[in-house]
Amino acid sequence: DFSSDDTSPLIDERILKHLTDYNPSDLDAQLLRSRLPPQIKLTDLGAAVGVPKRVKRTMPRMEVDVEDVVVRNKTRPLPNTINDIDSSHLEEDARAIVVTETKSPFRVTQVNSSWEALCGYQREECKGRPLGSLLNGPETDKMAATALVSNLLSGEEAGVILTNYTKTGRKFKNYVRVGPVVDEMGKTINFVGVLKEVVDAEKVMDAPKSGGT
């Protein structure tokens, strides 16, 4: 009798089991409301059998802080020894890394898997090719790239944000750091570059435009 104040006999075992086991959703709520007597509130009944209240959780929006990328990349050392650019060590590094000759046009001698994933080239097809021919395009700042090379030829590490292009032609903002690789005697034998794609380079007000680390 739905007019009765005593509602306990109206809750059969099937409803209680459903309430105890269910993972709350709008569909479940509608289904239960359609099966319960009008004097029984779904929220009260759920509390009585221990059903947790629904909590709205909002996942934080993941954003790339370009300035943070620059700071982290500046503080992490570049590979700078023969041991550092050994293929096994490069593969253990999650950064996109390319190794080149020390003379223009700076032909590629080695890359790691992260560089392949970012730039779209397989190491077999880029080895021996000038690095600029692989990554530069119409919007690449030639003056900034030249200044970067100038610092590098002086034996200094340098960093800059460039517009580069993948194998498929996708344009991306690339925060690249470069530096010399030396042997046991301190002689420069290769150059190394670490690439990092950034989303909004304009946010980095103090990022180096040429030279500097």
Side-chain angles (χ1 to χ4, degrees), residues 8 13 16 33 43 54 57 61 76 88 90-91 93 109 124-125 144 146 154-155 163 166 176 187-188 209 211:
S8 57
E13 293 181 359
L16 282 175
R33 287 192 185 95
T43 53
R54 297 180 63 188
R57 294 181 174 88
R61 182 181 177 184
R76 186 173 180 185
S88 60
L90 288 184
E91 286 305 312
D93 200 315
T109 61
E124 294 79 11
E125 63 182 318
T146 300
S154 298
T163 298
T166 68
V176 57
K187 179 182 178 181
T188 299
K209 300 305 177 184

Side-chain angles (χ1 to χ4, degrees), residues 72-146:
R72 285 186 288 108
N73 278 1
K74 287 166 65 175
T75 56
R76 186 173 180 185
L78 290 173
N80 61 4
T81 68
I82 295 177
N83 187 56
D84 289 340
I85 64 169
D86 178 83
S87 59
S88 60
H89 285 99
L90 288 184
E91 286 305 312
E92 293 173 358
D93 200 315
R95 298 174 295 176
I97 300 175
V98 57
V99 181
T100 73
E101 297 176 347
T102 58
K103 295 181 179 180
S104 181
F106 309 107
R107 299 183 187 276
V108 174
T109 61
Q110 198 171 353
V111 299
N112 66 354
S113 298
S114 296
W115 188 92
E116 290 180 307
L118 174 61
C119 301
Y121 294 94
Q122 297 298 310
R123 63 195 68 191
E124 294 79 11
E125 63 182 318
C126 65
K127 189 173 182 179
R129 295 178 61 182
L131 182 59
S133 69
L134 299 174
L135 300 182
N136 292 348
E139 295 184 29
T140 302
D141 188 335
K142 302 299 191 298
M143 291 184 64
T146 300

